[in-house]
Amino acid sequence: MPRIAVVPGDGIGVDVTREAVKVMSAIRDKGGVDLNWDEFDYGADKYLETGITLPDEEIANFRDNYDAIYIGAVGDPRVPDMTHARDILLGCRFKLDLYVNYRPCHLLDESLCPLKDRTPEDVNFVVFRENTEGLYVGTGGIFKKGTPEEVAIQTSINTRKGVERIIRHGFEYAKANNMGKVCMSDKSNAMRFEGDLWQRTFFEVAEEYPEIEASHWFIDALLMQMVKRPEQFDVIVSCNMFGDIITDMGAQLCGGMGVAASGNIHPGKTSLFEPVHGSAPKYAGKDIANPLAAILTVGVMLETIGYPEWTPRLEDIVREMVKSGKVPRDMGGPLGTAGVGDVVCEMI
Ligand code: NAD
Ligand code: IPM
Ligand code: MN
């Protein structure tokens, strides 16, 4: 019986998680998966009231007693330095060593793509973002803060182990899914040290997969190519920072933040699932947010914990909803957040 730790979080995270949980109920009642979950109230309200972000003991509880963690979104204008959001999101990513940030970019219907004449066959790739290193590690500091001589240092950390495991994961995924191409993106022309490590590691690992075409774009060119010829990509692998940027763009190619799902995964261990989007505070509590990203994330979660049929089933449901115009406002339809959740549940 899969057990899920659900953290709705902040802003529209709460709105979309409500619908994702509704869909989990439908999957439990009608879909034959004996799902079970507990909700946790970590987020800005709790932090502002108590100073608690996400205690280490709770992360250990998630790790030891749950099969997956599901987060809506975190981030609140009342906490401008993002203390709680970093502790919750980056805390889980780092402390649970969730090194694979898996962000599929599957265009589900031609009408959702902002590019001219692009089909679901053209925009059909996955991004593996390194999730435990790079510019996100929080090493650095500020010197002479608030003075004209102020210095800010933010260091990017790249280890052979960390770079190799995400690259290898990309090749293994391509092999398992009969995909012919893996593209690595970095900025090795300007950033020589980390670039050298990524380049050497990528082409060394690629030699072990002679049947897969290994290619490279610098990050600036990659973003340009994603718009110009998205059909060239099967698997894209990149570092933490560039992966963050690539996947907002990837989301937009598939219809926007409202439909982009993701998983923060350590294969075989308790992993964390969340939509790619944030807490969009201005839309919170207004029945406006699109919950499809959160709902498709339930599919990615189930797929990862041993129920692979749910990603295609939920994707089929979204395709049908688009065809029949039963979509939320950001996709040009009439439905509110709860209405979208209801339609998905009925279709299940
Ligand atoms: P955001 O993703 O919250 O919103 C950006 C814009 O995308 C919104 O204004 C809206 O137009 C659109 N959008 C996003 N989600 C949508 C949805 N479900 N339905 C319809 N439209 C949607 O990004 P932001 O404004 O840069 O960040 C807001 C807060 O969220 C910040 O505090 C940020 O740090 C945080 N954040 C959290 C996560 C996360 O928890 N994983 C991810 C990104 C940003
Ligand atoms: C994401 C978000 C986070 C990130 C922020 C909220 C720290 O943008 O999950 O893509 O940069 O990883
Ligand atoms: Mn992001």
Side-chain angles (χ1 to χ4, degrees), residues 74 82 89-90 93 103 129 136 244 274 276:
V74 281
M82 290 282 287
L89 194 59
L90 303 187
R93 288 178 185 171
R103 296 187 160 182
R129 163 185 179 190
Y136 277 66
D244 181 44
E274 49 164 359
V276 174

Side-chain angles (χ1 to χ4, degrees), residues 10 12 16 71-77 79-80 82 84-85 89 93 103 244 248 252 256-259 262 274-283 288-294 328 330:
D10 303 325
I12 63 163
V16 300
I71 295 191
V74 281
D76 186 295
V79 191
M82 290 282 287
H84 74 295
L89 194 59
R93 288 178 185 171
R103 296 187 160 182
D244 181 44
D248 265 30
Q252 205 57 49
M257 300 306 278
V259 292
S262 87
E274 49 164 359
V276 174
H277 66 74
S279 57
K282 69 180 177 206
Y283 294 155
I288 291 175
N290 183 347
L292 288 173
D330 57 304

